[in-house]
Amino acid sequence: MGDWDGVRDQQLYLLLSEFCYFLMVLEKTLESPLDFKEIQPYFGHLMRRVDSLENTPMLGGIGDKMDGKERVLCRMISFYACEMVLEEEGVYGDVSCDEWAFSLLPLDVDLLSMELPEFFRDYFLEGDQRWINTLAQALHLLSTLYGPFPNCYGIGRCAKMSYELWKRLEEEEDGETKGRRPEIGHIFLLDRDMDFVTALCSQVVYEGLVDDTFRIKCGSVDFGPEVTSSDKSLKVLLNAEDKVFNEIRNEHFSNVFGFLSQKARNLQAQYDRRRGMDIKQMKNFVSQELKGLKQEHRLLSLHIGACESIMKKKTKQDFQELIKTEHALLEGFNIRESTNYIEEHIDRQVSPIESLRLMCLLSITENGLIPKDYRSLKTQYLQSYGPEHLLTFSNLRRAGLLTEQAPGDTLTAVESKVSKLVTDKAAGKITDAFSSLAKRSNFRAISKKLNLIPRVDGEYDLKVPRDMAYVFSGAYVPLSCRIIEQVLERRGWQGLDEVVRLLNCSELAFTDMTKDDKASSESLRLILVVFLGGCTFSEISALRFLGREKGYRFIFLTTAVTNSARLMEAMSEVKA
Amino acid sequence: KYELYSMDWDLKEELRDCLVAAAPYGGPIALLRNPWRKEKPASARPVLEIYSASGVPLASLLWKSGPVVSLGWSAEEELLCVQEDGVVLVYGLHGDFRRHFSMGNEVLQNRVLDARIFHTEFGSGVAILTGAHRFTLSANVGDLKLRRMPEVPGLQSAPSCWTAVCQDRVAHILLAVGPDLYLLDHAACSAVTPPGLAPGVSSFLQMAVSFTYRHLALFTDTGYIWMGTVSLKEKLCEFNCNIRAPPKQMVWCSRPRSKEKAVVVAWERRLMVVGDAPESIQFVLDEDSYLVPELDGVRVFSRSTHEFLHEVPVASEEIFKIASMAPGALLLEAQKEYEKESQKADEYLREIQELGQLPQAVQQCIEAAGHEHWPDMQKSLLRAASFGKCFLDRFPPDSFVRMCQDLRVLNAVRDYHIGIPLTYTQYKQLTIQVLLDRLVLRRLYPLAIQICEYLRLPEVQGVSRILAHWACYKVQQKDVSDEDVARAINQKLGDTPGVSYSDIAARAYGCGRTELAIKLLEYEPRSGEQVPLLLKMKRSKLALSKAIESGDTDLVFTVLLHLKNELNRGDFFMTLRNQPMALSLYRQFCKHQELETLKDLYNQDDNHQELGSFHIRASYAAEERIEGRVAALQTAADAFYKAKNEFAAKATEDQMRLLRLQRRLEDELGGRFLDLSLHDTVTTLILSGQNKRAEQLARDFRIPDKRLWWLKLTALADLEDWEELEKFSKSKKSPIGYLPFVEICMKQHNKYEAKKYASRVGPEQKVKALLLVGDVAQAADVAIEHRSEAEMSLVLSHCTGATDGATADKIQRARAQAQKK
């Protein structure tokens, strides 16, 4: 495991099973799946690609070009829609249609992404459940490849629905996984709306910072000329194979520079060894080490360039102030001052996305804005960034990201209504505006319960992190990661009732343990964490840290890698 | 030759008075009494009766259609009745009418003179000789393709005999006219002559093709029988029986791969087996008999008995030949002696072992057992085999075990009540799967299941398949109530893997039992299977809830689009209302495809909030003209009021105002104002020097002071209008302090201006401001004055190199001092 051979094979299987022309219909969100080196050699020249169904002009008229050998591969969901288009084109009978269960994209040794950034908006805003099936299929695929999961935990409505659907799939096609040795001991499903706070914070570990600054897409990033210190931009794959990156990705940014310069010195020292070598040694050096050193050198200069570029950007925006405000919000002091800061932020038109993010952070940590602030901040925002954001606010309210503190009684009324719906079996599957309306974050209480704000005695040494809080400069332990830690420790939700209640998930937290003696102790150390709605690199870093501390190994499956800006853009009605 | 059964039937007429058809592989027998070729009593309708091979009646029905020329069984054991008008009626084993098809117009006009049903690799074919002496045939009745054969030159009367042969997967007709033989394929008619035919033949009276279409036998008017290959390239043997009367039937009787060739010829009272020997074997027939060719022999049945005539297989012959010294025979003997506790057993055994033939002996016994019809005989042979096996070290047991299993199965189906007299050879040819199908066809479900369980067939192929068939049969019993049927089926089937409830339900629906089908679908675990059928049965709403339960959105979509076409809009929306998941899905669909429908949806739900959002969106996306956009916004604002969202309503109204104003500004000043935010509008105004208008706008829209200051500050700095900025800064006390002034000046690299404002910055931010303009020394002084630890370290961090050395020392001293206190 780690090389994800099984997953890759599964994807290729469909492609290789028949030799014919392909017409690929892909969701436009997928950045560049055809760059996969596995596929290209086989089919590069045979494939014609249609990026998206919305791009119907591309599909339209394909009827003329078809010669009956084409095969249409669709990502799961558009299957039906694709058939309709083909039917309209009158070529439906001539082509064979297949679903390409392109559900899992291995981005790294411990990270699988479904590359469904639209999941977040579709599910958490529109209440659209079409992806749940895709999710369940993906889980099913994993369990056929890596054996059944003896311990399952989850929290959140989407998690529960996916889990149930997955179990149903498993029942329908039973036999395959039974009796296999489980390779992954635990699986943890977590809805993004359990913890918006973590996702909304500015990231300060290196990988997160790179994502925030340059945007990592499908595991690779475009470094512009200011980073490469040449006139070209460069596409760089960021994963464990990049040795330099692998060492700094989880580090707090303040350490990265020091580390890189140390590294540069080492490198120089190694280069320097050339001097005073005789011919034979030199030959050895050139044939064996030089290439590696060169490679390392290249990567090093890239990352140093990236760091410089990040520093430049961040100081310009008063990054320190921003972080300070965020920490104040998380800890819950000086709310007035923070609110003023946000207002100033809006007034100065710093960035629509950033302003929105801060407002949401304020709303969630404070359990909604007080009505006066709610109105005034919104008014300010509309004045600054345009009135069309009225729709954005309506979206945010629906998703529970930006709400107004309501008088207690009306809220409980709605809440009871929702809980009634929840108990009803059929209605249990409803995600409607209602439930999110009643969503109260209770962040303060949860934070106290789970001790998310570490007590700081003196300076927090970011070089030698004590706990997961280091990913936020020691100010805050990511809620999502803390939940996972606690549940794994307790092997379930016992003793966390209060937290679960505060998360509004009394009915939506589940554990499913099968007594399975076949699970080796090694597999029990392996934990698959599934983020429904996306996860951030900070969370990944935090859990990697937790894994090192506790001797676990975490693997991540996410609908997409996300960050605060992506979340906000998903909610925003105004497309940049 | 041995007797299979004494027939159980109670025939009123002689066989010769009936049309008879018996299916191969121990299949059923069909009799059509009172055929039309006899001078018929006008009133009596003929009766079609179907019996099992043991004479157990399976069905009986009054024939109501037209005159039947010929009967025959298809490979699927369906009865094909060829009528005079060329219509072929297909009946099931139990006399249930299946379907009918016609053999074409030409046949209809010329009537059917004669017809044959024959078997090919693809299924069963029908060949017809019409009144115009033309042939029409179809090679597969399952997939009907009629082929009209070419004309036979000079054919004026019906051929004396003809038959359908099948070679190289193509069906031909072989016919005899007088002394000539013709072979008809679809292209041509060619005359053929069998090699080595004895002279003096003036006509062929009878011809017979073997079961496998390999051999052909011809009976001539001289009483001469020619036997050869069907290709007519090779002659096998000939025989002269000296009987000139045309035989009633002539069929081949030989087993596959056997060298002996033999033909059975039947006359009224005589049965003759002729082969490659000068002598023939003759049997006397006491009764009217009928011959059924089989793969490895001939079945002969009459009113009272049913017999099987076959060539004795090699293994049996070796063992049972009188005074045989074959190893098998010796082994059998040895075993018998052993049972008698005689030492002779040892002698026999030793004899075999000395020859080293014990394995063959065992093999022979096993093989012979397979060919025995009587269980007693089977037993003794198997016992001998098992006895012999004991003296062998490494004899693979599976042939013995399998034979035992096969024999048990065979004995079971040969049972009188079941009536399928299969031989071992036929059974192997037929395969167990087909046998099970035939049992199912005879509705012998329990036996079939027992066989499956006995042979440990995998459930999917075996038991569950049979149960599914049983269930399909069950739903056709119209006299039982829906509940009972559903319950009975569920009890029997439970969760047996491989049983598809939806298939059974589809069958029930096919029988018009929709309610039952729905009940059965309840048991179907896979929603993907339920939904399409429910849709077909027009239970769309049920289908919708099932689809939703499944969580498969693609399925939900399918149903939704179906529903949308099926119901009128109002009903459709009402249905959606009760299904929130479907509703949200449909909303998503509408957002992309049908915006108007989306509006209607919101309208129906009185969802004014969303309606407002909808109109706002429309005002940006759909409308081009200002008037249209304002109108859309107005609608939105109204909706927001209805939704009691006053904030949104107000904001929308402001937007309307702003739009109109921007329009006016564009008209008056030129440039672009539309779609700018309020802030940007004001900024643009300031940048273009329209300060008055900007002030006015700020007042009209109640822009708060703080924002206005930020706005002006930024705009003026951008213009580098330092004079105006200074004026502005002095207009009144700044609501945002003066630090921003310093910052913005520094951003424009105007240190001179920055310093002006630094002095006006309030005490809390003074240090910061001084640091910004680069006055470290003064910053240090202020910090020390404030006695603020934080400020001092801030300044210290800005101290660089030698220039600020003194300042740094100063701070350190102050610090030390502070600590002392």
Side-chain angles (χ1 to χ4, degrees):
Chain A
M1 181 152 347
D3 48 7
W4 301 115
D5 277 347
V7 176
R8 276 179 220 269
D9 287 352
Q10 193 70 27
Q11 317 262 305
L12 275 182
Y13 170 75
L14 197 75
L15 293 175
L16 294 171
S17 56
E18 227 173 287
F19 192 76
C20 54
Y21 283 94
F22 288 105
L23 184 75
M24 313 218 33
V25 179
L26 298 165
E27 305 282 309
K28 62 172 173 211
T29 49
L30 214 57
E31 282 296 323
S32 51
L34 300 192
D35 286 349
F36 296 152
K37 41 186 187 292
E38 302 98 309
I39 303 174
Q40 204 81 43
Y42 297 107
F43 303 110
H45 60 295
L46 291 176
M47 276 189 288
R48 249 186 284 160
R49 178 176 161 207
V50 178
D51 286 282
S52 152
L53 274 181
E54 276 151 52
N55 215 345
T56 23
M58 293 276 277
L59 262 185
I62 55 173
D64 321 330
K65 291 180 241 150
M66 293 214 159
D67 52 7
K69 277 192 212 127
E70 274 93 347
R71 199 153 160 240
V72 175
L73 291 180
C74 303
R75 273 185 98 185
M76 254 173 204
I77 222 61
S78 42
F79 202 47
Y80 186 75
C82 181
E83 282 182 354
M84 288 212 307
V85 175
L86 289 175
E87 220 172 301
E88 278 167 24
E89 278 295 314
V91 290
Y92 181 56
D94 301 339
V95 296
S96 61
C97 265
D98 285 289
E99 289 182 45
W100 184 16
F102 189 90
S103 49
L104 298 171
L105 187 65
L107 292 184
D108 209 336
V109 285
D110 58 353
L111 176 60
L112 284 172
S113 168
M114 299 176 68
E115 289 303 311
L116 289 174
E118 61 268 51
F119 181 96
F120 180 70
R121 187 183 164 110
D122 283 348
Y123 179 78
F124 291 105
L125 179 62
E126 315 276 5
D128 180 345
Q129 299 170 11
R130 60 195 165 132
W131 298 115
I132 290 180
N133 201 24
T134 317
L135 252 167
Q137 301 271 10
L139 291 174
H140 182 57
L141 174 68
L142 282 179
S143 71
T144 49
L145 291 175
Y146 300 110
F149 299 96
N151 303 299
C152 304
Y153 321 95
I155 187 160
R157 192 183 298 278
C158 183
K160 195 167 186 189
M161 281 159 60
S162 317
Y163 178 76
E164 279 165 3
L165 195 60
W166 167 38
K167 285 290 142 188
R168 188 124 42 104
L169 280 178
E170 215 99 300
E171 270 166 38
E172 279 176 25
E173 286 177 49
D174 56 356
E176 282 175 55
T177 57
K178 295 249 171 72
R180 275 199 58 174
R181 277 176 73 94
E183 286 180 47
I184 302 174
H186 307 264
I187 180 169
F188 197 110
L189 296 108
L190 185 93
D191 276 19
R192 184 72 267 174
D193 65 349
M194 289 300 107
D195 175 18
F196 281 136
V197 174
T198 308
L200 288 174
C201 288
S202 305
Q203 307 192 66
V204 285
V205 289
Y206 183 64
E207 190 168 13
L209 210 44
V210 171
D211 189 29
D212 274 359
T213 321
F214 303 105
R215 298 246 166 161
I216 299 177
K217 290 171 186 162
C218 265
S220 66
V221 69
D222 271 319
F223 280 138
E226 76 276 13
V227 176
T228 52
S229 49
S230 63
D231 48 351
K232 273 185 298 190
S233 37
L234 192 64
K235 194 166 188 172
V236 183
L237 266 180
L238 291 180
N239 57 34
E241 274 170 34
D242 178 342
K243 294 225 170 52
V244 178
F245 177 68
N246 198 31
E247 281 181 81
I248 54 173
R249 66 198 306 188
N250 300 319
E251 290 292 321
H252 189 273
F253 188 64
S254 60
N255 299 337
V256 172
F257 228 51
F259 176 86
L260 286 177
S261 56
Q262 177 63 38
K263 191 98 189 162
R265 272 197 296 279
N266 288 351
L267 206 60
Q268 192 57 48
Q270 290 203 310
Y271 272 119
D272 289 345
R273 277 194 8 239
R274 279 181 302 181
R275 275 176 229 147
M277 279 184 181
D278 57 26
I279 298 287
K280 198 172 169 204
Q281 282 172 324
M282 184 66 101
K283 202 173 154 195
N284 245 343
F285 176 79
V286 171
S287 64
Q288 286 170 9
E289 289 174 45
L290 193 59
K291 204 177 158 212
L293 285 178
K294 277 241 171 88
Q295 167 88 353
E296 214 171 319
H297 181 93
R298 197 181 61 84
L299 292 170
L300 205 54
S301 63
L302 261 182
H303 288 295
I304 290 175
C307 275
E308 276 171 350
S309 170
I310 291 171
M311 296 265 259
K312 218 183 282 168
K313 277 189 192 157
K314 291 303 173 192
T315 46
K316 214 164 67 187
Q317 284 176 19
D318 289 326
F319 196 52
Q320 290 301 332
E321 285 281 310
L322 188 73
I323 296 278
K324 221 174 87 192
T325 310
E326 271 179 32
H327 290 175
L329 288 175
L330 290 169
E331 286 167 53
F333 68 84
N334 280 346
I335 295 303
R336 195 70 258 153
E337 206 170 280
S338 304
T339 315
N340 289 340
Y341 176 81
I342 296 171
E343 197 174 340
E344 189 187 308
H345 200 272
I346 298 169
D347 284 350
R348 292 172 60 187
Q349 292 185 301
V350 179
S351 138
I353 292 294
E354 286 275 284
S355 303
L356 209 55
R357 174 174 77 86
L358 287 170
M359 284 167 76
C360 291
L361 201 56
L362 175 68
S363 161
I364 293 179
T365 52
E366 286 298 300
N367 229 346
L369 300 174
I370 52 174
K372 187 177 134 282
D373 287 344
Y374 185 60
R375 294 178 74 94
S376 80
L377 281 180
K378 279 204 307 191
T379 315
Q380 297 301 315
Y381 193 91
L382 294 181
Q383 289 189 356
S384 263
Y385 301 118
E388 60 273 32
H389 282 286
L390 198 57
L391 299 174
T392 310
F393 287 124
S394 141
N395 288 346
L396 287 171
R397 198 168 75 110
R398 195 130 55 99
L401 275 163
L402 183 61
T403 53
E404 185 176 359
Q405 280 176 9
D409 47 0
T410 54
L411 202 64
T412 41
V414 181
E415 214 166 18
S416 70
K417 200 166 172 185
V418 171
S419 63
K420 227 181 277 164
L421 286 173
V422 170
T423 44
D424 184 4
K425 197 199 166 231
K429 300 194 169 182
I430 305 168
T431 338
D432 213 9
F434 261 139
S435 52
S436 47
L437 260 181
K439 249 181 235 158
R440 272 193 297 176
S441 63
N442 300 321
F443 178 76
R444 204 68 64 215
I446 295 168
S447 164
K448 213 168 278 164
K449 264 261 147 2
L450 289 175
N451 196 17
L452 296 182
I453 313 293
R455 206 168 297 285
V456 191
D457 309 319
E459 196 82 348
Y460 190 99
D461 187 0
L462 292 168
K463 285 207 170 66
V464 192
R466 276 181 310 204
D467 53 23
M468 293 188 284
Y470 91 95
V471 299
F472 292 114
S473 310
Y476 161 65
V477 180
L479 169 58
S480 49
C481 304
R482 180 70 101 195
I483 295 176
I484 292 167
E485 179 195 18
Q486 291 292 315
V487 170
L488 286 175
E489 215 162 77
R490 291 158 205 257
R491 290 298 191 95
W493 297 96
Q494 301 90 348
L496 294 173
D497 309 338
E498 185 62 18
V499 176
V500 171
R501 198 186 61 76
L502 288 169
L503 286 167
N504 300 316
C505 280
S506 308
E507 316 244 342
L508 302 173
F510 57 90
T511 3
D512 182 10
M513 317 248 256
T514 42
K515 278 272 162 281
D516 198 337
D517 309 328
K518 276 182 292 182
S520 62
S521 60
E522 193 196 341
S523 75
L524 284 176
R525 311 263 77 178
L526 211 53
I527 301 150
L528 176 69
V529 183
V530 184
F531 284 95
L532 307 158
C535 73
T536 63
F537 282 117
S538 293
E539 285 168 308
I540 294 177
S541 291
L543 286 174
R544 280 177 185 150
F545 171 81
L546 182 70
R548 277 195 303 278
E549 291 284 293
K550 304 262 163 115
Y552 292 132
R553 204 182 136 212
F554 284 96
I555 307 167
F556 307 93
L557 167 60
T558 176
T559 50
V561 177
T562 189
N563 60 20
S564 52
R566 291 198 187 100
L567 286 193
M568 289 298 110
E569 278 160 17
M571 288 293 152
S572 187
E573 281 293 327
V574 185
K575 297 284 173 283
Chain B
K1 177 180 176 184
Y2 53 83
E3 184 170 335
L4 295 167
Y5 307 106
S6 58
M7 295 304 271
D8 196 32
W9 55 20
D10 181 23
L11 292 183
K12 292 189 193 70
E13 284 123 76
E14 289 294 320
L15 279 176
R16 80 172 84 108
D17 292 337
C18 305
L19 271 178
V20 184
Y25 294 107
I29 304 165
L31 293 179
L32 187 61
R33 289 193 205 167
N34 198 357
W36 292 263
R37 66 171 87 134
K38 299 280 163 200
E39 61 289 358
K40 55 177 175 187
S43 63
R45 282 176 180 277
V47 181
L48 177 69
E49 292 190 318
I50 300 172
Y51 296 92
S52 79
S54 57
V56 176
L58 294 174
S60 158
L61 60 143
L62 268 178
W63 189 256
K64 290 176 184 154
S65 315
V68 174
V69 178
S70 175
L71 290 178
W73 291 93
S74 76
E76 293 87 32
E77 298 206 317
E78 285 175 327
L79 182 61
L80 307 175
C81 311
V82 186
Q83 286 193 150
E84 205 180 45
D85 55 2
V87 174
V88 181
L89 300 157
V90 185
Y91 284 87
L93 194 62
H94 295 272
D96 42 329
F97 178 72
R98 293 271 165 83
R99 62 204 152 90
H100 69 87
F101 56 88
S102 163
M103 291 299 285
N105 272 335
E106 198 246 339
V107 179
L108 178 67
Q109 279 160 19
N110 296 320
R111 318 310 283 176
V112 179
L113 215 61
D114 196 5
R116 297 279 152 85
I117 280 93
F118 59 97
H119 302 281
T120 65
E121 293 107 283
F122 322 113
S124 306
V126 180
I128 280 175
L129 170 63
T130 67
H133 309 303
R134 292 288 295 266
F135 289 93
T136 297
L137 66 79
S138 161
N140 184 1
V141 293
D143 174 24
L144 198 68
K145 279 194 191 99
L146 292 179
R147 260 210 326 264
R148 195 156 168 252
M149 300 308 246
E151 211 172 337
V152 182
L155 187 64
Q156 292 306 321
S157 59
S160 55
C161 61
W162 64 280
T163 187
V165 295
C166 211
Q167 270 181 308
D168 304 329
R169 310 168 70 89
V170 183
H172 308 283
I173 301 274
L174 187 66
L175 71 156
V177 184
D180 304 315
L181 278 176
Y182 296 96
L183 187 67
L184 280 176
D185 56 25
H186 18 235
C189 166
S190 43
V192 284
T193 34
L197 187 72
V201 174
S202 59
S203 87
F204 297 96
L205 296 181
Q206 189 68 270
M207 59 172 76
V209 184
S210 72
F211 202 75
T212 51
Y213 293 108
R214 294 257 299 279
H215 306 301
L216 173 74
L218 300 167
F219 189 93
T220 68
D221 56 348
T222 52
Y224 164 85
I225 302 171
W226 179 92
M227 284 171 263
T229 58
V230 165
S231 57
L232 292 172
K233 293 219 172 77
E234 200 184 330
K235 174 175 154 184
L236 291 169
C237 53
E238 56 185 7
F239 185 83
N240 207 328
C241 67
N242 295 324
I243 301 174
R244 283 162 183 258
K248 218 175 73 178
Q249 269 186 302
M250 178 167 80
V251 294
W252 280 87
C253 169
S254 60
R255 36 184 76 250
R257 283 183 298 282
S258 158
K259 280 199 200 71
E260 300 287 330
K261 304 292 168 217
V263 169
V264 180
V265 194
W267 288 270
E268 286 295 304
R269 285 283 176 263
R270 192 205 302 254
L271 200 66
M272 186 186 280
V273 185
V274 298
D276 192 14
E279 294 297 316
S280 67
I281 311 165
Q282 296 213 15
F283 299 95
V284 175
L285 293 175
D286 303 328
E287 295 175 283
D288 233 8
S289 291
Y290 187 80
L291 305 185
V292 189
E294 289 279 6
L295 180 68
D296 54 348
V298 179
R299 280 191 290 142
V300 185
F301 65 87
S302 66
R303 282 187 66 171
S304 58
T305 61
H306 194 156
E307 292 170 317
F308 187 64
L309 182 65
H310 69 136
E311 176 201 336
V312 179
V314 184
S316 312
E317 189 185 341
E318 296 240 298
I319 291 176
F320 294 111
K321 208 157 68 181
I322 294 161
S324 164
M325 292 299 277
L330 291 175
L331 183 61
L332 184 63
E333 208 54 38
Q335 200 270 338
K336 275 182 190 154
E337 294 299 336
Y338 172 75
E339 260 177 21
K340 282 190 236 155
E341 302 180 7
S342 149
Q343 81 277 19
K344 270 190 187 161
D346 186 46
E347 282 171 29
Y348 282 123
L349 253 182
R350 200 163 295 163
E351 197 173 327
I352 311 171
Q353 268 173 328
E354 272 163 17
L355 290 167
Q357 284 177 327
L358 195 52
Q360 287 99 301
V362 174
Q363 203 57 54
Q364 236 168 26
C365 284
I366 293 175
E367 214 176 292
H371 294 296
E372 277 309 319
H373 185 71
W374 305 112
D376 286 344
M377 213 58 200
Q378 294 164 1
K379 272 185 208 157
S380 73
L381 281 165
L382 285 174
R383 227 176 273 131
S386 118
F387 175 70
K389 223 157 60 76
C390 298
F391 299 93
L392 282 170
D393 281 344
R394 260 193 299 258
F395 188 81
D398 37 327
S399 66
F400 179 76
V401 174
R402 198 166 320 120
M403 181 57 77
C404 290
Q405 286 178 342
D406 288 344
L407 280 176
R408 279 193 85 155
V409 173
L410 280 177
N411 288 338
V413 299
R414 280 171 192 164
D415 183 273
Y416 171 79
H417 297 285
I418 312 296
I420 306 180
L422 275 184
T423 65
Y424 182 74
T425 324
Q426 291 165 17
Y427 168 65
K428 282 290 154 196
Q429 177 79 16
L430 201 61
T431 72
I432 181 68
Q433 295 303 345
V434 179
L435 178 60
L436 286 174
D437 282 346
R438 300 212 156 168
L439 288 175
V440 166
L441 214 56
R442 285 167 174 74
R443 294 176 195 159
L444 297 166
Y445 305 106
L447 178 67
I449 289 175
Q450 273 168 16
I451 290 178
C452 290
E453 282 169 354
Y454 175 66
L455 294 178
R456 297 208 186 92
L457 291 180
E459 282 211 328
V460 180
Q461 286 174 34
V463 175
S464 29
R465 202 165 57 107
I466 291 158
L467 281 174
H469 276 293
W470 168 78
C472 287
Y473 167 62
K474 192 83 185 166
V475 296
Q476 290 166 24
Q477 294 178 335
K478 305 225 169 176
D479 46 335
V480 189
S481 79
D482 292 343
E483 279 85 22
D484 291 347
V485 174
R487 206 177 315 118
I489 288 176
N490 187 42
Q491 264 169 15
K492 269 265 162 39
L493 270 62
D495 289 330
T496 323
V499 175
S500 160
Y501 277 100
S502 55
D503 286 354
I504 304 169
R507 183 66 68 93
Y509 176 61
C511 305
R513 299 183 74 167
T514 313
E515 286 306 315
L516 176 59
I518 292 169
K519 285 206 173 61
L520 286 170
L521 277 180
E522 289 292 323
Y523 298 116
E524 172 64 57
R526 290 160 301 170
S527 323
E529 302 282 322
Q530 295 176 327
V531 172
L533 187 61
L534 283 172
L535 281 181
K536 214 165 104 191
M537 298 194 297
K538 305 230 180 299
R539 299 297 162 113
S540 321
K541 287 182 190 175
L542 192 59
L544 184 62
S545 49
K546 287 281 172 210
I548 289 169
E549 238 172 73
S550 79
D552 183 344
T553 40
D554 209 22
L555 215 53
V556 179
F557 237 144
T558 317
V559 182
L560 274 182
L561 293 184
H562 199 94
L563 268 176
K564 194 179 147 203
N565 296 334
E566 193 181 279
L567 300 175
N568 66 41
R569 217 171 167 83
D571 289 348
F572 178 52
F573 284 172
M574 281 314 284
T575 315
L576 281 181
R577 249 179 113 155
N578 301 325
Q579 301 285 4
M581 180 204 170
L583 182 60
S584 67
L585 204 62
Y586 187 65
R587 254 189 228 140
Q588 283 286 80
F589 171 77
C590 289
K591 256 179 209 165
H592 294 297
Q593 309 280 336
E594 299 175 16
L595 278 172
E596 280 307 300
T597 318
L598 189 66
K599 193 173 82 186
D600 295 348
L601 266 175
Y602 290 140
N603 253 327
Q604 153 129 357
D605 290 354
D606 292 333
N607 191 342
H608 297 296
Q609 172 68 32
E610 286 300 328
L611 213 51
S613 300
F614 173 82
H615 286 297
I616 291 209
R617 209 167 279 131
S619 87
Y620 286 102
E623 292 287 346
E624 289 288 327
R625 294 170 308 114
I626 277 289
E627 293 76 22
R629 294 181 56 176
V630 171
L633 287 173
Q634 185 61 54
T635 332
D638 292 348
F640 284 134
Y641 275 123
K642 275 190 204 149
K644 300 221 164 51
N645 188 342
E646 302 209 352
F647 175 83
K650 281 262 155 50
T652 312
E653 282 172 353
D654 280 349
Q655 166 64 1
M656 285 155 59
R657 261 198 311 150
L658 185 62
L659 263 182
R660 290 205 194 98
L661 197 105
Q662 285 170 335
R663 176 65 177 276
R664 212 164 54 230
L665 286 175
E666 276 192 10
D667 287 349
E668 290 172 16
L669 302 174
R672 252 195 93 60
F673 283 94
L674 275 182
D675 279 337
L676 291 181
S677 71
L678 181 60
H679 188 112
D680 293 341
T681 312
V682 178
T683 309
T684 318
L685 280 175
I686 294 176
L687 286 180
S688 50
Q690 300 281 338
N691 279 333
K692 263 222 181 98
R693 277 182 191 269
E695 297 280 345
Q696 182 64 35
L697 200 63
R699 241 172 290 132
D700 284 355
F701 284 88
R702 283 196 295 278
I703 293 182
D705 257 3
K706 274 190 185 177
R707 169 188 295 282
L708 195 62
W709 276 73
W710 273 114
L711 193 157
K712 275 196 153 177
L713 175 61
T714 327
L716 290 173
D718 278 352
L719 282 176
E720 308 205 11
D721 188 347
W722 307 115
E723 207 175 310
E724 187 67 27
L725 185 63
E726 193 166 354
K727 235 196 276 168
F728 169 60
S729 78
K730 285 175 179 159
S731 63
K732 63 178 189 179
K733 192 177 176 291
S734 162
I736 52 171
Y738 291 93
L739 185 60
F741 283 80
V742 180
E743 281 173 355
I744 215 131
C745 291
M746 285 311 290
K747 225 176 233 169
Q748 303 285 350
H749 306 292
N750 193 334
K751 206 165 183 173
Y752 172 73
E753 289 291 327
K755 277 191 174 157
K756 272 192 207 163
Y757 300 107
S759 57
R760 295 166 68 180
V761 173
E764 317 87 77
Q765 294 175 315
K766 195 110 186 176
V767 176
K768 247 191 210 165
L770 287 169
L771 284 176
L772 265 174
V773 296
D775 195 344
V776 182
Q778 210 181 334
D781 289 343
V782 177
I784 293 167
E785 195 181 305
H786 286 172
R787 290 186 189 151
S788 155
E789 178 64 37
E791 282 180 8
M792 280 193 264
S793 12
L794 188 68
V795 177
L796 210 52
S797 69
H798 275 79
C799 289
T800 46
T803 46
D804 301 325
T807 322
D809 288 346
K810 207 163 150 192
I811 294 173
Q812 299 290 12
R813 271 200 308 281
R815 258 192 179 171
Q817 231 168 23
Q819 261 160 15
K820 258 182 229 158
K821 281 174 195 170

